[in-house]
Amino acid sequence: MADDRKPLISGNWKMHQNHFEAIQAVQKLSYLLTKEDIAAVDVSIHAPFTDIRSVQTTIESDKIPITIGAQDCHPEVKGAFTGEVSVSMLAKLNVGLVIVGHSERRELFGETDEFVNAKVKAVFAHEMLPILCCGETLAEREAGEAESKISGQITAGLAKIPAEQVARMVIAYEPIWAIGTGVTASAEDAQAMCAHVRQVVAEAKDADAAASVRIQYGGSVKPANAAELMGQADIDGALVGGASLEPDDFAKIVQYRLN
Ligand code: 13P
């Protein structure tokens, strides 16, 4: 991790925790994290939509220095989109960071690069920041196509996004074969792929955007492997699934520098 990019550790709860459990988890996390932790690392929690209002009131009333996150959004402000949650509804809840293009959305719900790009634009238009996800399958990796898959997803996801905005956003490299499997990419492989993401940003935008964009690694991040991953030059944070559900484990990941 470079000194001028503040690390960002994000908990993606996926479809876990009802709003009561969410309040308890956020309060426990705030008890476990110290001022020094928050000074050293930005932290965001991406709870299910039904929890966000409860997370917001807990964070704001207790003055907890954690960014409210969302796991997805619809790019339109309003309309006939049954079951969707609009980008402006999230902004109204003081959401700061929105995950877009998670592999589970792409693989299970058929989201295209074009739709993900529309979400990136909409998130910026509502003064939030996107965490744009990319990642290859095991078959793509074994076929030697990991880099080209990532290049395509990043280039398309960032189409017509000004370099100045890209500089402020977050990109998460999450190899699909490492998500929820307990198989983490080796620190060397994760570093090589995050360096590739940065190179793609340099080519698609400019050197300043590439130097400033924060790149997270995601895929079976645990307290035991966080420090080694975070020690890599191009890894500026982690997008944590399973281990973010347990506040003790998630706090240990945020405190990776103490290991
Ligand atoms: P796991 O940490 O459970 O592997 O999930 C990673 C992920 O998909 C975060 O978005």
Side-chain angles (χ1 to χ4, degrees), residues 134-193:
C134 61
E136 81 285 0
T137 64
L138 188 58
E140 288 163 341
R141 169 153 284 257
E142 286 174 349
E145 293 164 1
E147 282 84 359
S148 60
K149 170 85 177 284
I150 296 324
S151 306
Q153 287 183 324
I154 298 294
T155 308
L158 298 181
K160 299 205 168 78
I161 308 293
E164 165 280 315
Q165 289 187 338
V166 175
R168 293 188 284 117
M169 68 181 283
V170 183
I171 298 176
Y173 167 65
E174 299 202 300
I176 294 169
W177 46 271
I179 294 178
T181 57
V183 181
T184 318
S186 68
E188 295 73 32
D189 282 348
Q191 160 57 24
M193 292 305 287

CSV table of all heavy atoms in Angstrom, one decimal, residues 134-193:
chain,number,residue,atom,x,y,z
A,134,CYS,N,-14.4,-6.1,-10.0
A,134,CYS,CA,-14.0,-6.9,-11.2
A,134,CYS,C,-13.4,-8.2,-10.7
A,134,CYS,O,-13.0,-8.3,-9.6
A,134,CYS,CB,-13.0,-6.1,-12.1
A,134,CYS,SG,-11.5,-5.7,-11.2
A,135,GLY,N,-13.4,-9.2,-11.6
A,135,GLY,CA,-12.8,-10.4,-11.2
A,135,GLY,C,-13.0,-11.5,-12.2
A,135,GLY,O,-14.0,-11.5,-12.9
A,136,GLU,N,-12.1,-12.5,-12.3
A,136,GLU,CA,-12.2,-13.6,-13.3
A,136,GLU,C,-12.6,-14.9,-12.6
A,136,GLU,O,-12.4,-15.1,-11.4
A,136,GLU,CB,-10.8,-13.8,-14.0
A,136,GLU,CG,-9.8,-14.6,-13.2
A,136,GLU,CD,-9.1,-13.9,-12.1
A,136,GLU,OE1,-9.5,-12.7,-11.8
A,136,GLU,OE2,-8.3,-14.5,-11.4
A,137,THR,N,-13.2,-15.8,-13.4
A,137,THR,CA,-13.5,-17.1,-12.9
A,137,THR,C,-12.3,-18.0,-12.9
A,137,THR,O,-11.3,-17.6,-13.5
A,137,THR,CB,-14.6,-17.8,-13.8
A,137,THR,OG1,-14.0,-17.9,-15.1
A,137,THR,CG2,-15.9,-17.0,-14.0
A,138,LEU,N,-12.4,-19.2,-12.3
A,138,LEU,CA,-11.3,-20.1,-12.3
A,138,LEU,C,-10.9,-20.5,-13.8
A,138,LEU,O,-9.8,-20.6,-14.2
A,138,LEU,CB,-11.6,-21.3,-11.4
A,138,LEU,CG,-10.4,-22.2,-11.2
A,138,LEU,CD1,-9.2,-21.5,-10.6
A,138,LEU,CD2,-10.8,-23.4,-10.3
A,139,ALA,N,-12.0,-20.8,-14.5
A,139,ALA,CA,-11.8,-21.2,-15.9
A,139,ALA,C,-11.0,-20.2,-16.7
A,139,ALA,O,-10.1,-20.4,-17.5
A,139,ALA,CB,-13.1,-21.6,-16.6
A,140,GLU,N,-11.4,-18.9,-16.5
A,140,GLU,CA,-10.7,-17.8,-17.2
A,140,GLU,C,-9.3,-17.7,-16.8
A,140,GLU,O,-8.4,-17.5,-17.6
A,140,GLU,CB,-11.5,-16.5,-17.0
A,140,GLU,CG,-12.8,-16.4,-17.7
A,140,GLU,CD,-13.8,-15.3,-17.2
A,140,GLU,OE1,-13.6,-14.9,-16.0
A,140,GLU,OE2,-14.7,-15.0,-18.0
A,141,ARG,N,-9.1,-17.9,-15.5
A,141,ARG,CA,-7.7,-17.8,-15.0
A,141,ARG,C,-6.8,-18.9,-15.6
A,141,ARG,O,-5.7,-18.7,-16.1
A,141,ARG,CB,-7.6,-17.9,-13.4
A,141,ARG,CG,-6.3,-18.1,-12.8
A,141,ARG,CD,-6.2,-17.6,-11.4
A,141,ARG,NE,-6.1,-16.1,-11.4
A,141,ARG,CZ,-4.9,-15.4,-11.2
A,141,ARG,NH1,-3.8,-16.1,-11.0
A,141,ARG,NH2,-4.9,-14.1,-11.2
A,142,GLU,N,-7.4,-20.1,-15.6
A,142,GLU,CA,-6.6,-21.3,-16.1
A,142,GLU,C,-6.4,-21.2,-17.6
A,142,GLU,O,-5.5,-21.7,-18.1
A,142,GLU,CB,-7.4,-22.6,-15.7
A,142,GLU,CG,-7.2,-22.9,-14.3
A,142,GLU,CD,-8.0,-24.1,-13.8
A,142,GLU,OE1,-8.9,-24.6,-14.5
A,142,GLU,OE2,-7.8,-24.5,-12.6
A,143,ALA,N,-7.3,-20.4,-18.3
A,143,ALA,CA,-7.1,-20.2,-19.7
A,143,ALA,C,-6.2,-19.0,-20.0
A,143,ALA,O,-6.0,-18.7,-21.2
A,143,ALA,CB,-8.5,-20.0,-20.4
A,144,GLY,N,-5.6,-18.4,-19.0
A,144,GLY,CA,-4.7,-17.3,-19.2
A,144,GLY,C,-5.5,-16.0,-19.6
A,144,GLY,O,-4.9,-15.1,-20.2
A,145,GLU,N,-6.8,-16.0,-19.2
A,145,GLU,CA,-7.6,-14.8,-19.6
A,145,GLU,C,-7.9,-13.8,-18.5
A,145,GLU,O,-8.7,-13.0,-18.7
A,145,GLU,CB,-8.9,-15.3,-20.2
A,145,GLU,CG,-8.7,-16.1,-21.5
A,145,GLU,CD,-9.9,-16.9,-21.9
A,145,GLU,OE1,-10.9,-16.9,-21.2
A,145,GLU,OE2,-9.9,-17.6,-23.0
A,146,ALA,N,-7.2,-14.0,-17.4
A,146,ALA,CA,-7.6,-13.2,-16.2
A,146,ALA,C,-7.4,-11.7,-16.5
A,146,ALA,O,-8.2,-10.9,-16.3
A,146,ALA,CB,-6.8,-13.6,-15.0
A,147,GLU,N,-6.2,-11.4,-17.0
A,147,GLU,CA,-5.9,-10.0,-17.3
A,147,GLU,C,-6.8,-9.3,-18.3
A,147,GLU,O,-7.3,-8.2,-18.1
A,147,GLU,CB,-4.4,-9.8,-17.8
A,147,GLU,CG,-3.4,-9.9,-16.7
A,147,GLU,CD,-3.0,-11.3,-16.4
A,147,GLU,OE1,-3.5,-12.2,-17.0
A,147,GLU,OE2,-2.1,-11.5,-15.5
A,148,SER,N,-7.1,-10.1,-19.3
A,148,SER,CA,-8.0,-9.5,-20.4
A,148,SER,C,-9.4,-9.3,-19.8
A,148,SER,O,-10.1,-8.3,-20.2
A,148,SER,CB,-8.0,-10.3,-21.7
A,148,SER,OG,-8.4,-11.6,-21.4
A,149,LYS,N,-9.9,-10.2,-19.0
A,149,LYS,CA,-11.2,-10.1,-18.4
A,149,LYS,C,-11.3,-8.8,-17.6
A,149,LYS,O,-12.2,-8.0,-17.7
A,149,LYS,CB,-11.5,-11.3,-17.5
A,149,LYS,CG,-12.8,-11.2,-16.7
A,149,LYS,CD,-14.0,-11.6,-17.4
A,149,LYS,CE,-15.3,-11.6,-16.5
A,149,LYS,NZ,-15.5,-12.7,-15.6
A,150,ILE,N,-10.2,-8.6,-16.7
A,150,ILE,CA,-10.2,-7.5,-15.9
A,150,ILE,C,-10.1,-6.2,-16.7
A,150,ILE,O,-10.8,-5.2,-16.4
A,150,ILE,CB,-9.0,-7.5,-14.9
A,150,ILE,CG1,-9.1,-8.7,-13.9
A,150,ILE,CG2,-8.7,-6.2,-14.1
A,150,ILE,CD1,-10.4,-9.1,-13.4
A,151,SER,N,-9.2,-6.2,-17.7
A,151,SER,CA,-9.1,-5.0,-18.6
A,151,SER,C,-10.5,-4.6,-19.2
A,151,SER,O,-10.9,-3.4,-19.1
A,151,SER,CB,-8.2,-5.2,-19.7
A,151,SER,OG,-6.9,-5.7,-19.3
A,152,GLY,N,-11.2,-5.6,-19.7
A,152,GLY,CA,-12.5,-5.3,-20.3
A,152,GLY,C,-13.5,-4.8,-19.3
A,152,GLY,O,-14.2,-3.8,-19.5
A,153,GLN,N,-13.5,-5.4,-18.1
A,153,GLN,CA,-14.5,-4.9,-17.1
A,153,GLN,C,-14.2,-3.5,-16.6
A,153,GLN,O,-15.1,-2.7,-16.4
A,153,GLN,CB,-14.5,-5.9,-15.9
A,153,GLN,CG,-15.2,-7.2,-16.1
A,153,GLN,CD,-15.2,-8.1,-14.9
A,153,GLN,OE1,-14.3,-8.1,-14.1
A,153,GLN,NE2,-16.3,-8.9,-14.8
A,154,ILE,N,-12.9,-3.2,-16.4
A,154,ILE,CA,-12.5,-1.9,-15.9
A,154,ILE,C,-12.8,-0.8,-17.0
A,154,ILE,O,-13.3,0.3,-16.7
A,154,ILE,CB,-11.1,-1.8,-15.5
A,154,ILE,CG1,-10.8,-2.8,-14.3
A,154,ILE,CG2,-10.6,-0.4,-15.0
A,154,ILE,CD1,-11.5,-2.5,-13.1
A,155,THR,N,-12.3,-1.1,-18.2
A,155,THR,CA,-12.4,-0.1,-19.3
A,155,THR,C,-13.9,0.2,-19.5
A,155,THR,O,-14.3,1.4,-19.6
A,155,THR,CB,-11.8,-0.7,-20.6
A,155,THR,OG1,-10.4,-1.1,-20.2
A,155,THR,CG2,-11.7,0.4,-21.6
A,156,ALA,N,-14.7,-0.9,-19.6
A,156,ALA,CA,-16.2,-0.6,-19.8
A,156,ALA,C,-16.8,0.0,-18.6
A,156,ALA,O,-17.7,0.9,-18.8
A,156,ALA,CB,-16.9,-1.9,-20.2
A,157,GLY,N,-16.5,-0.4,-17.5
A,157,GLY,CA,-17.1,0.1,-16.2
A,157,GLY,C,-16.8,1.6,-16.0
A,157,GLY,O,-17.6,2.4,-15.4
A,158,LEU,N,-15.6,2.0,-16.6
A,158,LEU,CA,-15.2,3.4,-16.4
A,158,LEU,C,-15.4,4.3,-17.6
A,158,LEU,O,-15.0,5.4,-17.7
A,158,LEU,CB,-13.7,3.5,-16.0
A,158,LEU,CG,-13.3,2.8,-14.7
A,158,LEU,CD1,-11.8,3.0,-14.4
A,158,LEU,CD2,-14.1,3.4,-13.5
A,159,ALA,N,-16.1,3.8,-18.6
A,159,ALA,CA,-16.3,4.5,-19.8
A,159,ALA,C,-17.0,5.9,-19.5
A,159,ALA,O,-18.0,5.9,-18.8
A,159,ALA,CB,-17.2,3.7,-20.8
A,160,LYS,N,-16.4,6.9,-20.1
A,160,LYS,CA,-16.9,8.3,-20.0
A,160,LYS,C,-17.0,8.8,-18.5
A,160,LYS,O,-17.7,9.8,-18.2
A,160,LYS,CB,-18.3,8.4,-20.6
A,160,LYS,CG,-18.3,8.1,-22.1
A,160,LYS,CD,-19.5,8.8,-22.8
A,160,LYS,CE,-19.4,8.8,-24.3
A,160,LYS,NZ,-19.8,7.5,-24.9
A,161,ILE,N,-16.2,8.2,-17.6
A,161,ILE,CA,-16.0,8.7,-16.3
A,161,ILE,C,-14.8,9.5,-16.3
A,161,ILE,O,-13.7,9.0,-16.6
A,161,ILE,CB,-15.9,7.6,-15.2
A,161,ILE,CG1,-17.0,6.5,-15.4
A,161,ILE,CG2,-15.8,8.1,-13.8
A,161,ILE,CD1,-18.4,7.1,-15.0
A,162,PRO,N,-14.9,10.8,-15.9
A,162,PRO,CA,-13.7,11.7,-16.0
A,162,PRO,C,-12.6,11.2,-15.0
A,162,PRO,O,-12.8,10.6,-14.0
A,162,PRO,CB,-14.2,13.1,-15.5
A,162,PRO,CG,-15.7,13.0,-15.5
A,162,PRO,CD,-16.1,11.6,-15.5
A,163,ALA,N,-11.3,11.4,-15.5
A,163,ALA,CA,-10.2,10.9,-14.7
A,163,ALA,C,-10.2,11.5,-13.2
A,163,ALA,O,-9.9,10.8,-12.3
A,163,ALA,CB,-8.9,11.4,-15.4
A,164,GLU,N,-10.7,12.7,-13.1
A,164,GLU,CA,-10.7,13.3,-11.8
A,164,GLU,C,-11.7,12.5,-10.8
A,164,GLU,O,-11.4,12.4,-9.6
A,164,GLU,CB,-11.2,14.8,-11.9
A,164,GLU,CG,-11.6,15.5,-10.7
A,164,GLU,CD,-13.1,15.3,-10.3
A,164,GLU,OE1,-14.0,15.2,-11.2
A,164,GLU,OE2,-13.3,15.0,-9.1
A,165,GLN,N,-12.7,12.0,-11.4
A,165,GLN,CA,-13.6,11.2,-10.6
A,165,GLN,C,-13.0,9.8,-10.3
A,165,GLN,O,-13.1,9.3,-9.1
A,165,GLN,CB,-15.0,11.0,-11.3
A,165,GLN,CG,-15.8,12.3,-11.3
A,165,GLN,CD,-17.2,12.1,-11.9
A,165,GLN,OE1,-17.5,11.1,-12.6
A,165,GLN,NE2,-18.1,13.0,-11.5
A,166,VAL,N,-12.4,9.2,-11.3
A,166,VAL,CA,-11.8,7.9,-11.1
A,166,VAL,C,-10.7,8.0,-10.0
A,166,VAL,O,-10.6,7.1,-9.1
A,166,VAL,CB,-11.1,7.4,-12.4
A,166,VAL,CG1,-10.4,6.1,-12.2
A,166,VAL,CG2,-12.2,7.2,-13.5
A,167,ALA,N,-10.0,9.1,-9.9
A,167,ALA,CA,-9.0,9.3,-8.8
A,167,ALA,C,-9.6,9.1,-7.5
A,167,ALA,O,-8.9,8.7,-6.5
A,167,ALA,CB,-8.4,10.7,-9.0
A,168,ARG,N,-10.9,9.5,-7.3
A,168,ARG,CA,-11.5,9.5,-5.9
A,168,ARG,C,-12.2,8.2,-5.6
A,168,ARG,O,-12.6,7.9,-4.5
A,168,ARG,CB,-12.5,10.6,-5.8
A,168,ARG,CG,-11.8,12.0,-5.9
A,168,ARG,CD,-12.7,13.1,-5.6
A,168,ARG,NE,-13.6,13.4,-6.7
A,168,ARG,CZ,-14.9,13.3,-6.7
A,168,ARG,NH1,-15.6,12.9,-5.6
A,168,ARG,NH2,-15.7,13.6,-7.7
A,169,MET,N,-12.4,7.3,-6.6
A,169,MET,CA,-13.2,6.1,-6.4
A,169,MET,C,-12.4,4.9,-5.9
A,169,MET,O,-11.2,5.0,-5.6
A,169,MET,CB,-14.0,5.8,-7.7
A,169,MET,CG,-13.2,5.3,-8.8
A,169,MET,SD,-14.1,4.9,-10.3
A,169,MET,CE,-14.8,3.3,-9.9
A,170,VAL,N,-13.1,3.8,-5.9
A,170,VAL,CA,-12.5,2.5,-5.4
A,170,VAL,C,-12.7,1.5,-6.4
A,170,VAL,O,-13.8,1.4,-7.0
A,170,VAL,CB,-13.1,2.1,-4.0
A,170,VAL,CG1,-12.4,0.9,-3.4
A,170,VAL,CG2,-13.0,3.3,-3.0
A,171,ILE,N,-11.7,0.6,-6.7
A,171,ILE,CA,-11.9,-0.6,-7.5
A,171,ILE,C,-11.6,-1.8,-6.6
A,171,ILE,O,-10.6,-1.8,-5.9
A,171,ILE,CB,-11.1,-0.5,-8.8
A,171,ILE,CG1,-11.4,0.7,-9.6
A,171,ILE,CG2,-11.2,-1.8,-9.6
A,171,ILE,CD1,-10.5,0.9,-10.8
A,172,ALA,N,-12.5,-2.8,-6.7
A,172,ALA,CA,-12.2,-4.0,-5.9
A,172,ALA,C,-11.9,-5.1,-6.9
A,172,ALA,O,-12.7,-5.5,-7.7
A,172,ALA,CB,-13.4,-4.4,-5.0
A,173,TYR,N,-10.7,-5.7,-6.8
A,173,TYR,CA,-10.4,-6.9,-7.5
A,173,TYR,C,-10.8,-8.1,-6.7
A,173,TYR,O,-10.2,-8.4,-5.6
A,173,TYR,CB,-8.9,-7.0,-7.9
A,173,TYR,CG,-8.5,-8.3,-8.4
A,173,TYR,CD1,-9.0,-8.8,-9.6
A,173,TYR,CD2,-7.6,-9.2,-7.6
A,173,TYR,CE1,-8.7,-10.1,-10.0
A,173,TYR,CE2,-7.3,-10.4,-8.1
A,173,TYR,CZ,-7.8,-10.9,-9.2
A,173,TYR,OH,-7.5,-12.2,-9.7
A,174,GLU,N,-11.8,-8.9,-7.2
A,174,GLU,CA,-12.2,-10.0,-6.4
A,174,GLU,C,-12.3,-11.2,-7.3
A,174,GLU,O,-13.3,-11.4,-8.1
A,174,GLU,CB,-13.7,-9.8,-5.9
A,174,GLU,CG,-13.8,-8.6,-4.9
A,174,GLU,CD,-15.0,-8.8,-4.0
A,174,GLU,OE1,-16.1,-8.8,-4.6
A,174,GLU,OE2,-14.8,-8.9,-2.8
A,175,PRO,N,-11.2,-12.1,-7.3
A,175,PRO,CA,-11.3,-13.3,-8.2
A,175,PRO,C,-12.4,-14.2,-7.7
A,175,PRO,O,-12.6,-14.5,-6.5
A,175,PRO,CB,-9.9,-13.9,-7.9
A,175,PRO,CG,-9.4,-13.3,-6.7
A,175,PRO,CD,-10.0,-12.0,-6.5
A,176,ILE,N,-13.3,-14.6,-8.7
A,176,ILE,CA,-14.5,-15.3,-8.3
A,176,ILE,C,-14.2,-16.6,-7.6
A,176,ILE,O,-14.9,-17.0,-6.7
A,176,ILE,CB,-15.4,-15.5,-9.6
A,176,ILE,CG1,-15.8,-14.1,-10.1
A,176,ILE,CG2,-16.6,-16.4,-9.3
A,176,ILE,CD1,-16.5,-14.1,-11.5
A,177,TRP,N,-13.1,-17.2,-8.0
A,177,TRP,CA,-12.7,-18.5,-7.4
A,177,TRP,C,-12.3,-18.4,-5.9
A,177,TRP,O,-12.2,-19.4,-5.2
A,177,TRP,CB,-11.6,-19.2,-8.2
A,177,TRP,CG,-10.5,-18.3,-8.6
A,177,TRP,CD1,-10.5,-17.5,-9.7
A,177,TRP,CD2,-9.3,-18.0,-7.9
A,177,TRP,NE1,-9.3,-16.8,-9.7
A,177,TRP,CE2,-8.6,-17.1,-8.6
A,177,TRP,CE3,-8.8,-18.5,-6.6
A,177,TRP,CZ2,-7.4,-16.5,-8.2
A,177,TRP,CZ3,-7.6,-18.0,-6.2
A,177,TRP,CH2,-6.9,-17.0,-7.0
A,178,ALA,N,-12.1,-17.1,-5.5
A,178,ALA,CA,-11.6,-16.9,-4.1
A,178,ALA,C,-12.8,-16.5,-3.2
A,178,ALA,O,-12.6,-16.3,-2.0
A,178,ALA,CB,-10.5,-15.9,-4.0
A,179,ILE,N,-13.9,-16.2,-3.8
A,179,ILE,CA,-15.1,-15.6,-3.0
A,179,ILE,C,-15.8,-16.7,-2.3
A,179,ILE,O,-16.4,-17.6,-2.9
A,179,ILE,CB,-16.0,-14.8,-3.9
A,179,ILE,CG1,-15.3,-13.6,-4.5
A,179,ILE,CG2,-17.3,-14.4,-3.1
A,179,ILE,CD1,-16.2,-12.8,-5.4
A,180,GLY,N,-15.8,-16.7,-0.9
A,180,GLY,CA,-16.6,-17.6,-0.1
A,180,GLY,C,-16.1,-19.0,-0.2
A,180,GLY,O,-16.7,-19.9,0.3
A,181,THR,N,-14.9,-19.2,-0.7
A,181,THR,CA,-14.3,-20.6,-0.8
A,181,THR,C,-13.3,-20.9,0.2
A,181,THR,O,-12.9,-22.1,0.4
A,181,THR,CB,-13.6,-20.7,-2.2
A,181,THR,OG1,-12.6,-19.7,-2.3
A,181,THR,CG2,-14.6,-20.5,-3.4
A,182,GLY,N,-12.8,-19.9,0.9
A,182,GLY,CA,-11.7,-20.1,1.8
A,182,GLY,C,-10.3,-20.1,1.1
A,182,GLY,O,-9.3,-20.2,1.7
A,183,VAL,N,-10.4,-20.1,-0.2
A,183,VAL,CA,-9.1,-20.1,-1.0
A,183,VAL,C,-8.8,-18.6,-1.3
A,183,VAL,O,-9.5,-18.0,-2.1
A,183,VAL,CB,-9.3,-20.9,-2.3
A,183,VAL,CG1,-8.0,-20.8,-3.1
A,183,VAL,CG2,-9.8,-22.3,-2.1
A,184,THR,N,-7.8,-18.1,-0.7
A,184,THR,CA,-7.4,-16.7,-1.0
A,184,THR,C,-6.4,-16.7,-2.1
A,184,THR,O,-5.6,-17.6,-2.2
A,184,THR,CB,-6.7,-16.1,0.3
A,184,THR,OG1,-7.4,-16.5,1.4
A,184,THR,CG2,-6.7,-14.6,0.2
A,185,ALA,N,-6.4,-15.7,-2.9
A,185,ALA,CA,-5.3,-15.5,-3.9
A,185,ALA,C,-4.0,-15.3,-3.1
A,185,ALA,O,-4.0,-14.7,-2.0
A,185,ALA,CB,-5.5,-14.3,-4.8
A,186,SER,N,-2.9,-15.9,-3.6
A,186,SER,CA,-1.6,-15.6,-2.9
A,186,SER,C,-1.4,-14.1,-2.9
A,186,SER,O,-1.9,-13.4,-3.8
A,186,SER,CB,-0.5,-16.3,-3.6
A,186,SER,OG,-0.2,-15.7,-4.8
A,187,ALA,N,-0.6,-13.6,-1.9
A,187,ALA,CA,-0.4,-12.2,-1.9
A,187,ALA,C,0.3,-11.7,-3.2
A,187,ALA,O,0.0,-10.6,-3.7
A,187,ALA,CB,0.5,-11.9,-0.7
A,188,GLU,N,1.2,-12.6,-3.8
A,188,GLU,CA,1.9,-12.2,-5.0
A,188,GLU,C,0.9,-12.1,-6.2
A,188,GLU,O,0.9,-11.2,-7.0
A,188,GLU,CB,2.9,-13.2,-5.4
A,188,GLU,CG,4.1,-13.3,-4.4
A,188,GLU,CD,3.7,-14.0,-3.1
A,188,GLU,OE1,2.8,-14.9,-3.1
A,188,GLU,OE2,4.3,-13.6,-2.0
A,189,ASP,N,-0.1,-13.1,-6.3
A,189,ASP,CA,-1.1,-13.0,-7.4
A,189,ASP,C,-2.0,-11.8,-7.2
A,189,ASP,O,-2.3,-11.1,-8.2
A,189,ASP,CB,-1.9,-14.3,-7.4
A,189,ASP,CG,-1.2,-15.5,-8.0
A,189,ASP,OD1,-0.1,-15.2,-8.6
A,189,ASP,OD2,-1.6,-16.6,-7.9
A,190,ALA,N,-2.4,-11.6,-5.9
A,190,ALA,CA,-3.3,-10.5,-5.7
A,190,ALA,C,-2.6,-9.2,-6.0
A,190,ALA,O,-3.2,-8.3,-6.7
A,190,ALA,CB,-3.8,-10.5,-4.2
A,191,GLN,N,-1.4,-9.0,-5.6
A,191,GLN,CA,-0.6,-7.8,-6.0
A,191,GLN,C,-0.5,-7.7,-7.5
A,191,GLN,O,-0.7,-6.6,-8.0
A,191,GLN,CB,0.8,-7.9,-5.3
A,191,GLN,CG,1.9,-7.0,-5.9
A,191,GLN,CD,1.5,-5.5,-5.9
A,191,GLN,OE1,0.7,-5.0,-5.1
A,191,GLN,NE2,2.1,-4.7,-6.8
A,192,ALA,N,-0.1,-8.7,-8.2
A,192,ALA,CA,0.1,-8.7,-9.6
A,192,ALA,C,-1.2,-8.2,-10.3
A,192,ALA,O,-1.2,-7.4,-11.2
A,192,ALA,CB,0.5,-10.0,-10.2
A,193,MET,N,-2.4,-8.7,-9.8
A,193,MET,CA,-3.6,-8.3,-10.5
A,193,MET,C,-4.0,-6.9,-10.1
A,193,MET,O,-4.6,-6.2,-11.0
A,193,MET,CB,-4.7,-9.3,-10.1
A,193,MET,CG,-4.5,-10.7,-10.7
A,193,MET,SD,-4.4,-10.7,-12.5
A,193,MET,CE,-6.0,-10.4,-13.0
